[in-house]
Structure formats: structure tokens, C-alpha cells
């Protein structure tokens, strides 16, 4: 049923790959077939463990040493050689023939642009190396070709950048350098393994646009490996869905998004949050968990009935956390310090979730750490409103600080490094109780059992070590630890960024359930707008250490006033074919987090000229107070 | 930028060395007796009488009647001017005592280090690139033997078998007839003929641990993404290996050059004693035993100077080799 179209550059036929582990062969790719037509983009979608990266390694001849192709063919037909077909699976991995194709006719870019480039060689040197290997040029000419390529991938000053090192470049520029390296020999096929996963959303849009533009320019086919359905919907002509080493479904992007057939694909589409979700609508996790919430967990019996009436009660709940004029400078010794957080003020209402959004380096995590008192603020105030009176968190010291600690807890981004590999789950969950001396030995153990049930884990796992759990399970252990002391406020620092989509939905739902049943208040720090949209009732946006906009969720998503918020929203790739990114308008040529690229009324000339301007309904934006409301909302 | 960095490092050396010298001096002063008392007691034990007037003279000359603080500054002031003090035991200036042996020590140590590098690098690279192969296991085993067997024991074994099997005496660094002779062509030949045994013995352990270190460091770097990138470009395996991971693993190696400088001079004391080498190792040992404090103290301080200079050299070399240190003013590792 194949339509007559361009010839296939790459055909993988019934590929099987095994890894030898402890002498035992372990099949990770089980009979995969797929094709990449010339000049088109094919997305290979799957979660971690689906074998998608292994397939790309096999194509490149870069399988780890214990990996073997046991069956099948990888047919590469080079259009430059009149479609002569070579079976890559039969070539010697490091042999001359394979090396000639690798980097020459097939280019590859990777997820981590930082570690993919050598830090001790200039980027020019590394890019030119690829050129000289496959298309030798005289020295001076090679440099000119390299600089032209740097120009093509969007370096402003190619001549200077040639001599720069990777650590002097931002993440986006590093990925551009990688693209230059992969494409300098004008390959027929580009394999992009999660090329934008490690990038901020506006940078992601820029790199995706660049890949599309280069495809036009050079005409290569792209095999795009990703777990992000939003990226797929915006980039792919054809989609292949992999799950545990097998292809679940393959077809055109139209088929996949409009008429998904396989239950796995349907579930995956339902599990990813997007901006259309109504308040109260729930994500459907692939594997639902059933948390068991004991009665005595709820905060104070007198408060419990009040929560039920929350929905009908018009009065706003009281403010729990109030942050005013928070400021933090790093490396300020010589005055040339970097302002990480600058004059940030916001309130978090009791029982509410405030989403704190921003790109890397915006200072959002620093704010979370300062509230936790794990980093000290330079100035400003952090007040927690207690029925007994306000508590100045910054002024707490010694025993008072220690006694206050249980009321605020944190959930971390990395579920691997945030749990000690040398402690059992029981020890991990009990540790906060031991530190605070809460209850007897037996009580603590009973509590740990309850907490495990609370996060949907079997209490029999308490004696195990973290390494025997999956990422999502580990994150749930981290949540159990965070709620062990019955806190009021939990700071979630990118709690689902390291998780797969299916697991992400599970953890988000768990957090929502716990919030409702335990009356928790969240400060939810994330770079992922869709996730924040799902979790938060109010959203605060940070850029370059400043809070640029704050408001109720709908106001932010529908009436964003600040140019940075608008750019951020426009750059999010949605898993929806009808709302593809408009690369022509959504991609600003310059970095939108840089105030220099904002319109006059948001830039502010003199320091201190900008202030939070109220747009009504708790929606405030950082702007020049002299501007009228109309000016700001029209922008 | 780089110049300022070097200047700052040199300035930091001064307080470091002052603290070290004070420590050395304190340790030298700690025993309740001094060289003269030990000497008199030793003489008395042998039933002889020490020359008290001479001892009195030396005591006055070297300020043993004055408070330790004063003596410390006297010592330091002279040290800076190149006068390292007087060895009571050898009855001549420290400089002359050490000077003779220094050249030989440097020769032995230099050859040892060179051998260590020449042997360890290929083996380490081979082991890392052929991890868990039989050759890797075999080489690892031999290397561990080299680390685990004490040098002096190895020396004794060598001496025993050389004597039993070949009737050779392998002690010393030259044929006894050339001892205290001026340097000549024959003497040099004799030294070279004797040299390889101490070099082999002293180098065994160093080579073993160097192989382990190179293997471990290279294995770390081989996992890094940039190595995959290099291969994805189509670089031939050997060039990809030497240009990227090997270059990165050199950082570790260069930061160890700092330790090498003092090792060149101090030599391997115990082995030198067993093999009766005329190097500085046994000298230091003897000086510490007999509380010959200027000899021991000056020697230790000299070693400290070399350590500090060695660290400086390796830091400067690192700054040249690694742009992260050069351009960011700090290692990211």
C-alpha cells in the first residue's frame, strides 16, 4: 500500500539486536522494520527502554561492544551513488567502508550538546575534522568551508566562533555546532537522537526550525528519535512507534495522530498533558496506581470539612507563603556578580499550587532553594503565615529553624541521585522522622508503611534498595519522604522532567491526589508549560532572575501580556497536527529571555523603572508603570 | 590572564613553604635530646670520650644555646642564601654531603620514571581498550603483583637469585673499584651496566599503579559522549582514541607530575639501602636516625620546595593543555 514517492534512503528489515549481559544474550530489538524516504523526516517514537536509540546506534555502527545484530538488514541506498544499496548490518563496524559512510553520508547528532563536544578542542577544529576526513580540502579553504557552515547553522560571527570552545557557548549554540559537524559533508541521512530534549523550549523551536531549513537546503532525510509527541507532530512526515523493541504502529503523521490504532499509542497520546485540558480533567496514566490514604493523614479534623466546601466558598483561601523582593547574587565578591534572582515577589495561597515557569538560568530553582533555606537570600523577605502569627523564614536560626523545617519539604528532579543508593527505602522514608525525633521506632515504621501505600507502592518493598525501582517508582519514594513529616508546603523542583510521558502522568496524578486529600500547598517549579498548565492554578513566569508575569492559569495562557511569556507559549510544540508551530513567527531570531529584545514598555530604561502592573484578577505583569493598560494588553 | 595566574600561584608558594619549614623545624626539635647528646651517649656506650670542646664550639656556632625561634630564622635565612647548614655526622657542609649523591639519585630516578611511562602507557591503553579480555586480566594481575610486592623484598629476591644462579653481586650502582673515583668513560659504563636492576625494581610498583590509573581514567573517558561523536564522524579508531579520550585522560597524568619532582630526589629509601646504592635515600634515613638535624631538615625542606614547584609546573602545564582551566580560571572537573 506504499504510495509511489521518493526512494528510501534507509530501509531496516526485520532487525534483531541482542546485548550480552553476564554472558546471557538479551534481545532488545525484536524484529524491527522501518524506512526513511529521501528528503523526508521519519520520527521514531518511544519511551526509555523501547530500543529506539539502539536502532540508531546499529545504523551508525556504534553499538556498544556487548551489542550484536543477530538478524536482519540495514539497507542504505545513497542517492548520490544512484541508489546503490549497501547492507550496513553486514559491514565491519570500524572498517573502512563503514567509516566512510559514517560522518560522510550519514550524520548524527545527540541529546546532550554539552558532552557531545570535546571541551579541549575548538568547535572549528571538531567540525573541520569531519570535513577533512571525507572531503579533504587545503587548510585555508577548509576553514572557509567550516565558517560558511557555521554561518548556515546560525552563528552570528563564524570567524570568531571557529576558535571558541564548547563551554563558551550556550546549549542552543552547541547543538547548532553539532548540526554543523553532522551536516558539513552534506549527508544523505541525518540521525537526530533526542536533539532538543536538553534544550529550553524557545531554543528547541529554533533548533527544530533550523533542522527543517537545513533539510530544505541540503535535502537530507532525517531519522528523528524522540519521546516527545509534540516534537513529532511538528517535524515528522512519517511516524514509527516503538515499544520494548518492537514496532507498535507506523504510518504517516496524519494516520498516527488522527487515527491511532494501537492501544499503546492511544494511551501515550492521552497521557501527555496539553493546553486544552479543562480544569479538573485528569490525565490517563498508562499504568494507574492506587494510592491508599489513611484517615489520620488529613490535616486537623476541623479543617477537613472546610475543604469540601472550598469549591463553593467564594472567599479566597488565606495566603500561606508570601515572598517579597527576594534577591540573590552569585560571585558578588568583586561587584561583577551574576544576579540570579532579582526583586521577586509572589504569594502562594493555602492549598493552592503555584507554578513557577522559566528557562534554565532564569533563577526559578534558586527561588525554591532560598525558600527552603538551603541557599541564603541576599535580601527580601519570606513569610509563612501561621494561625499563631507570621513566621519570618529568613530570620529563623538554630532550634527554631529546625522545628520549622518539617513544615516545608522538597521533591527533587533527579530520582536517581536524590535517593542514597546505600539506604533501604525504609531508611530513606524514616530519615526525616529520625532527624526530627518524631515518634518511637515502631511508630516510624508504621508510618513508613502508610506512606508507601499512600504513594501506591507495596510496603513489602520497604527493605529494598533504590536501584531495584524504576524512575517513576523512585520519584514516588521521594514523594513519600517529602510528606513523611506532614508538611504544609512542598516545593517540587522539576519533579517529572526526568520521567517518561507515561510515568509522568502517573506521578502528576499522584501529586494532585495528595494535594487534595492532605491539603498540601505546592510551589511547582518547571520548564514544561504543559505540565504546569495541568498542575497549577496560578502561574508565575521568570526570565533572567526577574518575575515578568504572574496570574491565574487561564489569564496566563489566554491573555499573556509579557512578550517573553508570549514567546514561551508560542514555542511549545503540541502533539496536535492542527496547531503546528508556525516556524516563521514563533521563532524569534534572538533570545527572547534577553530584555534587550523586548518592546520599549517592558524594557525600562533606568533601573527601578519597571514595576508589576496590575491587569486585574490577580494578573500582573512587569512593565513600565507609565504605560496604559491598553498598551500592555495590545502588545 | 595566564601570566597573572602564574604570578598568583608563585606568591601563594611563599606562605606555603614558610608553614612547611616551621613544621619541619618543629618536628626536628620535638625529640627531647639533640644530635650532640645522642653522640655523647653513643660514645660513652662504646667506652670512649667525646671531644667536649669541639662539641661546645659547634653548639655555639650553630646557636644551640639560643632559643629555637631564633635558630629557626637563622636556619631559614641561611637556607634562602644557599647555605643549608652543617652535617655534624659527616663533619662537612650539608651541600657537599648531598651534592655527590644527588647526581646519581637523579639518574636512577629519572630512568625509573622514564621506564614507568614507556611501559605503563601502552599497557594502560591496551588494557582500557580491551577491557575484560584475557590480556587485560593478565596484565592487571602482573601490575597488581608489582604494586603488592614491596620493593626491598623484590630487591632481596633479585640479589639472591643473581648470586645463586649467575654468581653476580648486583648491589651498588657501579663496580666497587670506581667508588670515589672521578668520572671516566669506564666508570660511566659500569654505572649503566648496574643501573637497570634498581630501575627495574624501583619502577615495578610505580609501573603497576600507573597502568591501573591510566586504564581507569581512559575507561572513564571512553564512556563519554564526545568519543561517540568522534567515531560518528568516521574517525579511524586509533586517531579517535588518541585525539579525544587519551588527551582528556592526560589531565590526570599531568597533575601527577607534581609528585614526580620530589620523588626524583628522594629516591626509594629502603630499596637503596638493600641494594647499597649511593643515592640520597639512605642518607636521609641515616640523618633522621642520628638526629643530624641540619642535614635532615634542609633535605626535607628541599623536598618540600620541589613538591611545591612540581605542583606549580603541573598546574601551568594543565592550564596550557586544558582551555577550561585557562579560560574559566578553574577546572570544571
Amino acid at each position: 500500500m506504499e504510495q509511489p514517492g521518493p526512494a528510501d534512503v534507509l530501509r531496516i528489515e526485520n532487525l534483531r539486536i541482542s546485548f550480552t549481559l553476564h554472558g546471557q544474550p538479551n534481545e532488545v530489538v525484536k524484529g524491527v522494520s522501518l524506512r526513511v524516504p529521501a528528503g523526508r523526516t521519519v520520527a521514531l517514537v518511544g519511551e526509555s527502554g523501547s530500543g529506539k536509540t539502539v536502532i540508531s546506534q546499529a545504523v551508525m555502527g556504534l553499538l556498544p561492544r556487548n551489542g550484536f545484530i543477530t538478524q536482519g538488514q540495514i539497507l542504505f541506498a545513497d542517492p548520490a551513488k544512484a541508489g546503490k544499496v549497501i547492507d550496513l548490518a553486514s559491514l565491519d563496524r570500524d572498517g573502512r567502508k563503514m567509516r566512510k559512510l559514517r560522518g560522510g553520508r550519514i550524520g548524527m547528532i545527540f541529546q546532550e550538546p554539552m558532552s557531545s563536544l570535546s571541551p579541549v578542542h575548538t568547535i572549528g577544529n571538531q567540525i573541520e575534522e569531519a570535513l577533512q576526513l571525507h572531503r579533504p580540502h587545503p587548510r585555508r579553504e577548509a576553514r572557509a568551508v567550516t565558517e560558511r557552515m557555521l554561518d548556515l547553522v546560525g552563528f552570528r560571527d563564524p570567524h570568531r566562533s571557529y576558535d571558541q570552545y564548547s563551554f563558551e557557548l550556550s546549549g542552543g549554540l552547541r547543538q547548532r555546532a553539532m548540526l554543523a559537524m553532522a551536516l558539513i559533508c552534506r549527508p544523505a541521512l541525518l540521525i537526530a537522537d533526542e536533539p532538543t530534549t536538553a534544550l529550553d523550549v524557545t531554543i528547541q523551536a529554533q533548533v527544530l526550525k533550523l533542522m527543517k531549513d537545513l533539510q530544505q537546503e541540503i535535502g537530507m532525510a532525517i531519522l528523528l528519535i524522540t519521546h516527545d509527541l509534540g516534537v513529532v507532530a511538528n517535524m515528522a512526515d512519517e511516524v514509527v512507534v516503538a515499544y520494548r523493541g518492537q514496532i507498535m504502529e507506523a504510518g504517516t503523521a496524519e494516520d498516527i495522530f488522527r487515527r491511532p490504532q494501537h492501544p499503546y499509542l492511544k494511551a501515550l497520546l492521552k497521557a501527555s498533558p496539553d493546553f486544552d485540558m479543562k480544569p479538573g480533567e485528569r490525565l490517563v496514566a498508562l499504568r494507574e496506581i492506587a494510592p491508599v490514604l489513611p484517615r489520620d493523614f488529613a490535616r486537623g479534623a476541623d479543617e477537613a470539612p472546610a475543604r469540601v466546601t472550598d469549591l463553593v466558598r467564594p472567599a479566597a483561601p488565606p495566603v500561606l507563603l508570601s515572598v517579597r523582593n527576594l534577591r540573590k547574587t552569585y560571585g558578588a565578591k568583586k561587584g561583577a556578580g551574576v544576579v540570579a534572582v532579582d526583586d521577586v515577589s509572589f504569594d502562594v495561597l493555602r492549598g493552592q499550587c503555584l507554578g513557577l515557569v522559566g528557562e534554565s538560568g532564569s533563577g526559578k530553582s534558586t527561588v525554591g532553594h532560598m525558600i527552603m533555606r538551603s541557599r541564603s537570600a541576599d535580601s527580601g523577605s519570606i513569610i509563612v503565615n501561621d494561625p499563631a502569627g507570621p513566621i519570618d523564614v529568613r530570620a529563623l536560626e538554630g532550634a527554631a529553624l529546625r522545628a520549622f523545617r518539617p513544615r516545608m519539604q522538597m521533591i527533587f528532579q533527579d530520582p536517581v541521585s536524590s535517593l542514597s543508593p546505600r539506604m533501604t527505602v525504609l531508611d530513606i522514608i524514616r530519615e526525616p522522622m529520625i532527624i526530627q525525633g518524631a515518634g518511637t521506632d515502631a511508630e516510624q515504621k508504621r508510618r513508613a508503611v502508610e506512606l508507601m501505600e499512600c504513594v501506591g507502592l507495596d510496603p513489602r518493598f520497604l527493605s529494598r534498595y533504590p536501584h531495584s525501582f524504576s524512575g517513576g517508582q523512585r520519584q514516588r519514594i521521594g514523594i513519600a519522604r517529602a510528606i513523611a513529616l506532614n508538611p504544609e508546603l512542598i516545593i517540587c523542583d522539576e519533579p517529572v522532567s526526568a520521567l517518561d510521558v507515561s510515568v509522568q502522568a502517573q506521578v502528576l496524578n499522584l501529586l494532585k491526589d495528595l494535594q487534595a486529600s492532605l491539603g498540601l500547598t505546592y510551589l511547582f517549579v518547571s520548564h514544561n508549560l504543559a505540565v504546569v498548565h495541568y498542575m497549577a492554578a496560578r502561574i508565575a513566569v521568570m526570565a533572567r532572575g526577574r518575575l515578568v508575569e504572574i496570574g491565574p492559569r487561564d489569564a496566563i495562557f489566554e491573555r499573556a501580556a509579557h512578550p517573553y511569556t508570549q514567546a514561551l507559549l508560542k514555542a511549545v510544540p503540541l502533539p496536535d497536527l492542527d496547531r503546528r508551530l508556525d516556524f516563521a513567527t514563533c521563532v524569534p531570531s534572538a533570545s527572547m529571555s534577553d530584555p534587550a529584545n523586548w518592546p520599549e514598555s517592558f524594557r525600562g530604561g533606568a533601573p527601578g523603572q519597571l514595576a508589576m502592573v496590575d491587569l486585574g484578577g490577580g494578573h500582573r505583569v512587569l512593565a513600565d508603570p507609565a504605560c496604559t493598560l491598553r498598551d500592555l494588553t495590545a502588545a | 590572564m595566564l601570566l597573572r595566574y602564574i604570578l598568583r600561584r608563585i606568591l601563594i608558594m611563599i606562605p606555603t613553604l614558610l608553614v612547611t619549614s616551621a613544621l619541619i623545624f618543629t618536628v626536628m626539635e620535638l625529640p627531647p635530646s639533640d644530635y650532640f647528646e645522642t653522640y655523647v651517649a653513643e660514645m660513652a656506650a662504646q667506652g670512649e670520650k667525646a671531644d667536649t670542646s669541639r662539641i661546645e664550639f659547634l653548639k655555639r656556632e650553630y646557636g644551640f644555646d639560643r632559643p629555637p625561634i631564633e635558630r629557626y630564622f637563622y636556619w631559614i635565612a641561611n637556607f634562602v642564601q644557599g647555605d643549608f647548614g652543617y652535617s655534624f655526622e659527616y663533619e662537612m657542609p650539608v651541600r657537599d654531603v648531598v651534592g655527590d649523591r644527588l647526581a646519581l639519585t637523579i639518574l636512577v630516578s629519572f630512568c625509573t620514571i622514564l621506564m614507568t611511562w614507556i611501559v605503563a602507557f601502552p599497557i594502560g591503553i591496551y588494557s582500557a581498550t580491551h577491557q575484560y579480555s584475557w590480556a587485560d586480566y593478565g596484565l592487571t594481575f602482573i601490575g597488581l603483583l608489582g604494586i603488592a610486592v614491596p620493593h626491598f623484598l623484590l630487591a632481596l629476591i633479585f640479589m639472591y637469585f643473581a648470586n645463586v644462579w649467575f654468581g653476580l653481586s648486583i648491589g651498588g650502582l657501579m663496580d666497587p673499584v670506581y667508588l670515589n673515583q672521578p668520572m671516566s668513560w669506564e666508570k660511566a659504563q659500569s654505572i649503566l651496566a648496574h643501573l637497570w636492576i634498581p630501575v627495574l625494581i624501583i619502577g615495578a610498583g610505580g609501573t603497576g599503579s600507573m597502568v591501573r590509573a591510566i586504564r581507569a581514567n581512559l575507561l572513564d573517558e571512553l564512556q563519554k559522549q564526545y568519543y561517540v561523536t568522534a567515531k560518528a564522524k568516521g574517525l579511524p579508531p586509533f586517531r579517535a582514541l588518541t585525539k579525544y579520550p587519551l588527551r582528556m585522560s592526560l589531565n590526570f597524568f599531568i597533575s601527577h607530575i607534581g609528585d614526580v619532582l620530589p620523588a626524583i630526589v628522594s629516591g626509594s629509601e629502603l630499596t637503596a639501602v638493600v641494594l647499597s646504592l649511593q643515592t640520597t635515600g639512605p642518607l636521609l634515613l641515616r640523618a633522621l636516625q642520628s638526629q643530624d638535624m641540619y642535614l635532615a631538615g634542609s633535605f626535607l625542606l628541599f623536598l618540600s620546595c620541589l613538591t611545591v614547584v612540581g605542583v606549580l609546573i603541573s598546574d601551568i602545564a594543565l592550564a596550557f593543555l586544558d582551555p577550561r582551566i585557562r579560560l574559566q580560571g578553574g577546572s570544571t572537573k
Side-chain angles (χ1 to χ4, degrees), chain A residues 260-436:
Chain A
Q261 301 294 320
H262 198 279
Y264 172 73
L265 177 60
K266 286 183 187 167
L268 208 55
L269 283 167
K270 264 192 235 163
S272 27
D274 62 36
F275 297 167
D276 288 340
M277 298 189 73
K278 305 280 168 294
E281 193 181 337
R282 242 176 115 81
L283 288 174
V284 185
L286 267 70
R287 291 167 289 275
E288 276 291 355
I289 49 169
V292 184
L293 297 162
R295 284 192 170 277
D296 58 323
F297 260 48
R299 184 167 312 287
D302 50 328
E303 275 180 55
R307 251 198 333 276
V308 180
T309 55
D310 260 359
L311 292 170
V312 286
R313 199 172 52 179
V319 172
L320 174 65
L321 173 76
S322 172
V323 173
R324 286 289 171 274
N325 310 101
L326 208 55
R327 193 180 156 84
K328 171 86 183 166
T329 318
Y330 283 118
K333 233 188 265 172
K334 284 169 196 154
V338 179
V339 183
V341 173
D342 187 5
D343 197 17
V344 165
S345 307
F346 58 82
D347 290 331
V348 186
L349 307 185
R350 190 177 282 277
Q352 206 185 41
C353 176
L354 175 75
L356 192 56
V357 185
E359 305 197 332
S360 48
S362 61
K364 57 187 192 304
S365 286
T366 308
V367 169
H369 283 283
M370 284 193 289
I371 294 171
M372 285 298 292
R373 281 287 303 268
S374 66
R375 279 176 216 166
S376 59
D378 293 348
S379 61
S381 71
I382 302 167
I383 306 287
V384 167
N385 287 307
D386 190 67
I391 302 167
D392 183 354
V393 178
R394 281 193 67 210
L396 290 175
E397 283 308 333
L401 179 62
R402 204 181 160 82
F404 174 78
R405 287 267 188 220
R407 306 178 67 166
M408 272 204 251
Q409 291 294 313
M410 196 152 185
I411 299 170
F412 302 93
Q413 170 171 6
D414 184 354
V416 177
S417 61
S418 60
L419 303 179
S420 164
R422 286 170 202 84
M423 289 166 77
T424 62
V425 174
L426 177 66
D427 291 336
I428 289 171
I429 295 181
R430 263 182 75 189
E431 194 174 34
M433 301 184 244
I434 293 170
I435 291 170
Q436 289 291 337

Side-chain angles (χ1 to χ4, degrees), chain A residues 234-251:
Chain A
N234 281 282
M235 294 293 289
D237 301 306
E238 291 180 23
V239 184
V240 179
V241 184
Y243 179 69
R244 299 210 172 165
Q246 285 174 310
I247 302 297
M248 295 289 113
E249 197 162 348

Side-chain angles (χ1 to χ4, degrees), chain A residues 68-79:
Chain A
F68 298 96
I69 297 173
T70 51
Q71 199 190 320
Q73 289 178 307
I74 303 171
L75 302 173
F76 178 67
D78 195 341

Side-chain angles (χ1 to χ4, degrees), chain B residues 214-228:
Chain B
I214 292 172
R215 179 179 178 272
N217 271 280
L218 199 56
L219 276 178
D220 273 354
E221 297 299 328
L222 286 175
Q223 309 296 324
K224 298 276 173 72
Q225 184 69 45
Y226 61 78
Y227 181 50
V228 180

Side-chain angles (χ1 to χ4, degrees), chain A residues 131-146:
Chain A
L131 179 74
Q132 296 290 32
L133 274 171
H134 302 284
R135 293 182 175 189
H137 284 65
R139 252 227 159 129
R140 193 165 301 167
E141 232 174 90
R143 174 156 187 152
V145 174
T146 308

Side-chain angles (χ1 to χ4, degrees), chain A residues 2 39 91 144 272 276 301 432 441 472 474 535 603 632:
Chain A
E2 275 170 33
L91 292 184
S272 27
D276 288 340
D441 221 47
R474 273 188 247 212
M535 291 298 293
R603 216 181 312 144
L632 296 179

Side-chain angles (χ1 to χ4, degrees), chain B residues 4-297:
Chain B
R4 266 189 54 185
Y5 171 74
I6 295 172
L7 216 68
R8 208 179 65 220
R9 289 300 311 263
I10 292 176
L11 283 180
I12 292 174
M13 281 167 62
I14 295 172
T16 312
L17 282 176
L18 274 179
V19 171
T20 320
S21 65
L23 271 177
I24 290 172
F25 190 82
T26 316
V27 172
M28 291 288 150
E29 284 286 313
L30 273 184
S33 60
D34 59 22
Y35 172 76
F36 304 107
E37 281 167 35
T38 321
Y39 176 70
V40 171
E42 227 173 82
M43 283 305 200
Q46 288 169 14
E48 285 178 46
K49 234 172 103 67
D51 181 353
T52 35
S53 63
R54 182 171 163 71
I55 288 175
E56 280 309 310
F57 168 75
L58 282 173
K59 273 195 167 181
R60 235 188 354 269
E61 180 72 22
Y62 288 95
F64 277 78
D65 45 356
R66 271 173 283 175
I69 295 283
E70 225 170 290
R71 256 182 304 147
Y72 168 71
F73 281 107
Y74 180 75
W75 174 52
I76 287 298
N78 280 337
F79 188 90
V80 174
Q81 291 162 31
D83 177 4
F84 302 143
Y86 188 83
S87 164
F88 305 119
E89 177 145 27
Y90 292 85
E91 297 192 338
M92 52 177 159
V94 168
R95 203 201 320 212
D96 297 342
V97 179
V98 177
D100 265 4
R101 291 167 169 250
L102 202 58
L104 277 179
T105 312
I106 290 177
L107 179 72
V108 172
S109 304
F110 186 74
C111 291
T112 309
I113 290 163
L114 216 62
M115 181 204 84
T116 308
W117 290 351
I118 292 173
V119 175
F121 256 94
I123 295 182
I125 293 171
Y126 181 89
S127 280
T129 47
H130 297 75
Q131 194 191 8
Y132 301 143
S133 66
W134 283 111
D136 176 31
Y137 283 130
L139 290 168
T140 302
F141 178 72
I142 295 172
L144 284 177
L145 269 190
I147 299 170
V149 177
H151 295 170
F152 68 89
L153 187 64
L154 209 57
L156 285 174
I157 294 171
F158 258 73
M159 280 170 82
Y160 176 78
F161 283 109
N163 212 328
V164 170
W165 289 343
F166 308 111
L168 281 176
S169 165
I170 59 166
L173 262 179
M174 59 194 90
D175 206 273
V177 293
Y178 297 112
L179 275 180
N180 298 321
Q181 295 284 317
M183 182 55 80
S184 63
W185 177 236
E186 285 79 20
K187 183 176 175 176
Q189 273 184 318
S190 171
I191 291 177
L192 282 183
H194 280 79
L195 193 59
W196 66 274
I197 289 173
V199 165
L200 206 68
I201 291 168
I202 301 172
T207 310
S209 32
M210 180 73 96
V211 167
R212 303 292 303 160
I214 292 172
R215 179 179 178 272
N217 271 280
L218 199 56
L219 276 178
D220 273 354
E221 297 299 328
L222 286 175
Q223 309 296 324
K224 298 276 173 72
Q225 184 69 45
Y226 61 78
Y227 181 50
V228 180
T229 310
K231 287 201 287 187
K233 264 189 264 188
L235 265 186
F238 187 71
R239 249 175 80 195
L241 178 75
T242 48
K243 181 170 175 183
Y244 297 100
L246 192 62
R247 161 92 189 263
M248 300 289 275
S249 64
L250 279 185
N251 269 17
F252 137 82
F253 174 72
I254 288 170
S255 54
H256 272 250
I257 288 181
D259 307 342
V260 165
L261 261 192
I264 283 189
V265 183
S266 73
S268 188
E269 291 87 2
L270 278 179
T271 318
V273 170
V274 172
L275 288 174
S276 56
L277 306 179
Q278 290 78 41
T279 56
T280 49
L283 194 70
L284 175 63
L285 213 59
R286 175 70 202 142
L288 288 171
Q289 277 170 344
S290 65
Q291 286 187 282
D292 192 350
M293 74 165 290
Y294 282 114
L295 180 57

